Amino acid sequence: VFKFQPGMNKNLLPFSLILLYLLPECDKYSYKLKRMNVNNHHGNRKRPESFFLIVFILLITSYIQAQTQSFKGWPDEESRRDLVNKFKNPPKGYGNVPFYWWNGDSLSRERLTYQLDLLQSSATDGFAISYAHTHPGIELEENRAGFGGAGRTEPGKPEIFTGSWWEIVNWFAGECARRGMGMGMDDYTFAWERNGYFTDSILHTEEFRTYQGRLEMEEYKVGPGEALSLTIPDNLVTIVSYPGGKELSGKIENRLLNWHAPSDNEYRVYMVSTSPAPDLHPAYG
């Protein structure tokens, strides 16, 4: 008796029932086949197992094809409210989203259409268009004027952000929408500072230049009964002693901390502050 367990993929139920029917049938015909082989040495009769093998392959193929199309779409915010059940039966939009590298051969509508059709037929919900970087030690000319990160962007053909490139991207976005697939842009390489793109402009604005995005932590060891004196930075987040997790900011006067550790234990004091980090600004990318 087949028992459907909670949390099982319901798409498997018809497939499982058919298998349960076919297996004993195959066993019966296997026995008949042995008798046929005894009485028919010339092999003129059709072999029953061939029929069931073909049926089995067709079932597997159709099932896999159905599964590859089962997660098309975009993530639904409502899914977050019922994570347990959604993990058991993922809704549309929670499938494979690979990097799609546009380096290499020249981009064309024919080439991209061919690749997009292949991606659509697989279990791919969407992708992030990506570009690789050049190697400063090999592509000397491309990096002669300086570079950020691990090297300047390999611009591709047509070159990224040119008019002809935007025409390709605009058309491609429409093709993705028509197929129900998501399209994103990975800012790897061209979002690095000093690579000649938009990042070089925005990082020098006041908003980005002064953004306190990085946490700095300093640790101090204090023996039993010892005193600790510290100059406190302007952008203090917290200062805490352990063991006990006691907050010490109330003992700060005129940006100075003077604290005596209890004599019962050795203590560690952790001071956390912020420092400018333009590349950690939420709008940086």
Side-chain angles (χ1 to χ4, degrees):
V1 177
F2 182 84
K3 184 177 180 181
F4 192 81
Q5 300 293 334
M8 290 178 63
N9 190 334
K10 294 182 175 59
N11 293 330
L12 288 171
L13 182 57
F15 182 69
S16 303
L17 293 175
I18 293 172
L19 276 182
L20 288 173
Y21 169 77
L22 284 180
L23 289 175
E25 291 297 311
C26 287
D27 188 61
K28 279 196 302 184
Y29 278 97
S30 177
Y31 173 75
K32 291 182 179 179
L33 177 64
K34 293 177 182 178
R35 298 189 63 183
M36 288 170 59
N37 286 336
V38 171
N39 299 324
N40 181 22
H41 296 286
H42 300 288
N44 294 326
R45 297 192 183 184
K46 294 183 179 180
R47 296 167 63 90
E49 82 239 42
S50 300
F51 168 76
F52 285 103
L53 180 60
I54 293 171
V55 171
F56 182 78
I57 292 174
L58 289 174
L59 284 170
I60 287 287
T61 304
S62 62
Y63 172 71
I64 293 174
Q65 179 65 19
Q67 286 298 97
T68 60
Q69 301 297 321
S70 61
F71 300 123
K72 298 293 184 186
W74 289 268
D76 181 2
E77 291 293 328
E78 295 296 321
S79 300
R80 299 182 182 181
R81 302 182 183 181
D82 191 12
L83 288 179
V84 174
N85 287 327
K86 298 303 181 183
F87 266 102
K88 293 178 180 178
N89 297 288
K92 290 182 181 297
Y94 289 87
N96 298 322
V97 183
F99 293 113
Y100 186 14
W101 299 93
W102 273 17
N103 296 106
D105 200 358
S106 301
L107 301 177
S108 67
R109 295 193 178 194
E110 294 76 19
R111 176 171 169 243
L112 290 174
T113 298
Y114 170 74
Q115 294 181 357
L116 193 55
D117 287 341
L118 290 178
L119 290 168
Q120 184 185 16
S121 65
S122 68
T124 302
D125 277 354
F127 29 76
I129 295 173
S130 304
Y131 278 82
H133 60 80
T134 56
H135 194 298
I138 299 176
E139 286 94 358
L140 302 179
E141 187 61 34
E142 290 84 345
N143 294 280
R144 190 179 300 279
F147 58 89
R152 284 187 175 264
T153 303
E154 170 60 54
K157 298 178 182 180
E159 187 173 336
I160 188 172
F161 297 141
T162 59
S164 53
W165 181 86
W166 280 113
E167 288 179 8
I168 287 283
V169 170
N170 185 56
W171 163 81
F172 189 75
E175 289 298 304
C176 291
R178 190 169 62 83
R179 291 169 167 81
M181 303 177 74
M183 187 196 89
M185 191 76 189
D186 177 21
D187 63 2
Y188 176 67
T189 77
F190 60 78
W192 296 340
E193 186 182 8
R194 304 194 317 277
N195 273 5
Y197 298 112
F198 59 89
T199 310
D200 293 341
S201 300
I202 65 173
L203 285 184
H204 298 291
T205 63
E206 182 71 11
E207 177 186 356
F208 280 81
R209 189 171 52 82
T210 60
Y211 179 70
Q212 299 292 312
R214 181 172 285 109
L215 289 177
E216 310 283 356
M217 187 177 74
E218 298 179 48
E219 179 187 18
Y220 303 89
K221 295 180 181 180
V222 188
E226 292 183 353
L228 176 67
S229 295
L230 292 175
T231 299
I232 304 301
D234 291 332
N235 300 302
L236 179 71
V237 176
T238 187
I239 182 165
V240 183
S241 65
Y242 284 91
K246 185 177 181 181
E247 224 279 337
L248 303 179
S249 58
K251 300 185 179 296
I252 298 173
E253 292 185 8
N254 299 322
R255 292 185 57 198
L256 291 175
L257 170 72
N258 291 295
W259 178 69
H260 282 81
S263 58
D264 62 340
N265 209 336
E266 180 179 86
Y267 284 80
R268 293 175 186 262
V269 173
Y270 297 94
M271 182 169 63
V272 181
S273 59
T274 63
S275 63
D279 53 332
L280 294 178
H281 193 291
Y284 178 80

